[in-house]
Amino acid sequence: MTEHLQLADALDALPWLSLREQKALQSAGLATVGDVLLRMPRRYEDRSRSGNLATVLPGQTACLQVHVYSAGWRFSYKQYYELSVGPAAEPNGPRLLLRWFNMPYVAKLLAVGMDLFVYGKVRESGGRLMMVNPDFEQVEEEDAGRRLVQAAMGGIPLPVPEPAAPATPVHTGRIVPIYRGLSGMPPRTYRGLVWRLLGELDPQLPARGYDIAPRYPFRQALQDIHFPAADEDQRKARMRFALEECFAQQFRVAWRRRRSQRQDGMVTATDGAYVQELLAALPFRLTGAQARCVEEIRADMASPRRMNRLVQGDVGSGKTLVALCAMLYCLGSGYTAALIAPTQILAEQHYKNFCRLLAHTDIRVSLRTSDRADDTGALQLDDPAEADRTPRLLVGTHALLYKKNRPANLGLAVVDEQHKFGVEQRERFINSAGTAADVLVMTATPIPRTLTLTLYGDLDVSVIDELPAGRGEIVTALRNPDHMKRIISFMHSELAAGRQIYIVSPLVEESEKRAQASAIAELARWKEIFPEVPIGLLHGRIQPEEKERVMADFRANTTRILVATTVVEVGVDVPNATIMLINDADSFGLSQLHQLRGRIGRGQHKSYCILLSRLKKDDERLEKLQVLCRTTNGFEIAEEDFRLRGPGDVLGTAQSGLGAVQFPEWLADMRLIHRANRDAEAILDADPDLTDPAHAPLRQLVEGEEETAVTG
């Protein structure tokens, strides 16, 4: 008797799997039984109800039970195998032609006298109904095989066996799983492989890892998700696997959080003199939300426990000033503070703002990027004699990840626009000078509550939910190219009032593959429209020195119009800019459009965001643009983006650290997340170090987490 299969069994050890099939599976990265069975169906087709050939109409997709009356090769413009089929009980009844092109093996499987289930789209040709390349399956395969043998022997009667139970259908006559395409293996073959693996799988197969749902056996859930008897079965199975995935993620979060809380940190907020000096010099007061966040951060930094906090705030809410206050607490306590930004433009802007805000103090600010190394003083950083005067507030890009630029005596690590960094990059920066430094991560991308719990459940979260006073109103409008004359006229009036304009395009250069606006083509176009107006160009391929010159000219109002790509999405701060025209706005995501819009409305003047789209009015893709026209609240926009696109598309899992998500529906299910979090916390309350043998799978789940800094 063949031994039952386990998930870890190698596919190439299966004697019934052909070499060609093995190669197709290997090329897709499928090496074990578990790799195949944990590759879930993309969707399902309900082929469980058999239709009536007499009533089927062209254009319908139907599942029919038929009898084969004739079979043979045919040729028109190409060769094909054809069956003429109809109801088994009606030899003179209606007929349906079945044709298979480029599938010669079908002739070896199908012949006159067979009873079949067939599934496909019915079409009409020459007054006759047909299906092309339909899916098919024999009815009562054992009995059909006996009749074929009898026919091959010239009609000699064969002994009639005991009535056999009808073979369970796989490809028709049931709810059928549809998988993503696999190169070198037809969908039918792959579906049959899954069916056979399930049939040979250990009936007592244990759950993989920790069994979060013991009342619903893992083996049964696998059967239900691949070949459900009813829709409710596959929904129930998906929920079981979603809970398993959610629990694994929440358990890692809970484990990291508890390890972080037990980790000794540094007291980095012993002196608030620098902070008080900064606040006294500002021409405005912090908003209530900013003041609340600063106090939450100060309390964390004043404790011996390591701080791991996220500051989440909308575009223009003043996160950078909150971060600067945190950095000044750190400097006042004798430590170095460092901020890493995702782009050189943003790093340089932070550097200049910090220099300006701290000009009245003795604090030195240092910039570290791959192209620049600037300091507010004249000291050489590499001079050992001046080591005690090395700048203590560092701002940089990825350059801070490398040894020559790594900050010494680091007390606070600030990661700005954290979603722009890969997980490994953030961890390298935070851990570069030891594991005890406080950590502050910031994002201007509002995140739905469920994703905040999922991605940042191991961080304390501070939210800046109000904008500073004195910010101008932003009006957002959706327009099409037919409105360009009015748009240009309006631009003339704003330029005449001394204001400035952004024009953003999705491409740098024109592309044959994408019919969208490019920055280079737009530059030429707008120079023709405004020949007397200085216009600049900014995109990612421009050299850093040129980028800085372009931005300096725009900040100084020497350049009146800036034509750019999304390189201006983050951190560009020009209060005098009051118009942003976004070409082909429908090609951007909601969050990115909101970030781009955040470049205007930064001064006291009323600002205008014009979303230009060539889509027709009834196009569904315009719905997201209409959301932006309704609200400027980033948190509302994030929730709407989540609803429209779903969690799988909203998340950049490689950047978020979430990893591959097979069942993204749980990301939007607060109830499921809370249940998983509650279960994880209960286990860790009872067994904080996972010493119980029953928790060995959980111990394996979190291996390596102890040394990893909590970085979100």
Side-chain angles (χ1 to χ4, degrees), residues 299-367:
D300 280 356
M301 295 175 66
S303 77
R305 181 178 68 86
R306 183 185 185 189
M307 177 176 74
N308 286 286
R309 183 169 289 275
L310 166 72
V311 173
Q312 184 180 358
D314 208 344
V315 176
S317 61
K319 296 178 300 300
T320 304
L321 187 56
V322 169
L324 179 57
C325 289
M327 296 173 83
L328 293 182
Y329 277 123
C330 180
L331 300 187
S333 302
Y335 296 101
T336 297
L339 180 148
I340 185 170
T343 67
Q344 181 158 326
I345 288 177
L346 183 54
E348 289 175 352
Q349 179 165 297
H350 282 319
Y351 170 65
K352 290 177 180 177
N353 284 342
F354 290 165
C355 289
R356 175 176 54 82
L357 291 169
L358 302 176
H360 62 287
T361 72
D362 60 350
I363 296 171
R364 295 186 58 211
V365 185
S366 176
L367 175 67

Side-chain angles (χ1 to χ4, degrees), residues 18 26 63 110 119 122 184 187 326 370 397 433 476 503 524 532 619 626 635:
S18 72
Q26 288 170 0
C63 183
L110 303 177
Y119 177 85
V122 179
S370 58
T397 57
T476 304
I503 297 173
E532 305 300 323
D619 196 302
Q626 290 159 351
F635 293 95

Side-chain angles (χ1 to χ4, degrees), residues 29-30 84 148 206 226 264 268 303 317 332 421 469 538 549 585 700 705:
L30 305 175
S84 176
L148 283 175
H226 286 289
D264 290 336
T268 54
S303 77
S317 61
F421 290 95
L538 188 67
R549 185 192 63 76
Q700 191 174 15
E705 295 283 352

Side-chain angles (χ1 to χ4, degrees), residues 306-518:
R306 183 185 185 189
M307 177 176 74
N308 286 286
R309 183 169 289 275
L310 166 72
V311 173
Q312 184 180 358
D314 208 344
V315 176
S317 61
K319 296 178 300 300
T320 304
L321 187 56
V322 169
L324 179 57
C325 289
M327 296 173 83
L328 293 182
Y329 277 123
C330 180
L331 300 187
S333 302
Y335 296 101
T336 297
L339 180 148
I340 185 170
T343 67
Q344 181 158 326
I345 288 177
L346 183 54
E348 289 175 352
Q349 179 165 297
H350 282 319
Y351 170 65
K352 290 177 180 177
N353 284 342
F354 290 165
C355 289
R356 175 176 54 82
L357 291 169
L358 302 176
H360 62 287
T361 72
D362 60 350
I363 296 171
R364 295 186 58 211
V365 185
S366 176
L367 175 67
R368 288 291 177 271
T369 71
S370 58
D371 300 288
R372 293 184 59 183
D374 296 346
D375 300 291
T376 52
L379 296 176
Q380 296 297 315
L381 292 181
D382 298 328
D383 186 351
E386 302 293 349
D388 61 326
R389 297 184 61 191
T390 297
R392 292 179 296 167
L393 197 159
L394 279 74
V395 180
T397 57
H398 302 75
L400 287 177
L401 300 172
Y402 301 102
K403 188 173 181 180
K404 67 177 182 179
N405 293 317
R406 286 181 184 173
N409 194 31
L410 184 67
L412 174 65
V414 180
V415 182
D416 193 16
E417 295 297 335
Q418 61 79 34
H419 62 286
K420 296 286 186 178
F421 290 95
V423 176
E424 291 183 3
Q425 290 176 321
R426 295 200 302 267
E427 291 179 357
R428 276 180 59 194
F429 169 61
I430 290 168
N431 295 328
S432 62
T435 59
D438 287 331
V439 177
L440 185 67
V441 297
M442 301 193 298
T443 179
T445 302
I447 303 166
R449 288 183 305 144
T450 52
L451 293 191
T452 300
L453 282 172
T454 301
L455 299 178
Y456 306 117
D458 48 354
L459 297 176
D460 296 309
V461 180
S462 293
V463 178
I464 306 179
D465 51 9
E466 63 179 301
L467 295 176
R471 291 295 176 96
E473 177 190 359
I474 301 178
V475 176
T476 304
L478 175 58
R479 297 289 184 263
N480 62 52
D482 294 339
H483 296 100
M484 281 308 300
K485 285 187 178 180
R486 292 170 57 190
I487 292 171
I488 291 169
S489 175
F490 182 64
M491 287 179 168
H492 271 294
S493 63
E494 285 293 291
L495 289 170
R499 309 291 169 251
Q500 293 168 268
I501 298 170
Y502 292 100
I503 297 173
V504 178
S505 298
L507 304 178
V508 175
E509 296 179 298
E510 291 182 323
S511 169
E512 294 181 359
K513 297 180 180 179
R514 296 171 61 185
Q516 295 173 343
S518 70

Side-chain angles (χ1 to χ4, degrees), residues 43 107 117 203 295 327 427 580 627 702 708:
R43 60 184 178 85
F117 278 115
E295 178 52 31
M327 296 173 83
E427 291 179 357
M580 172 165 283
V627 171
V702 296
T708 301

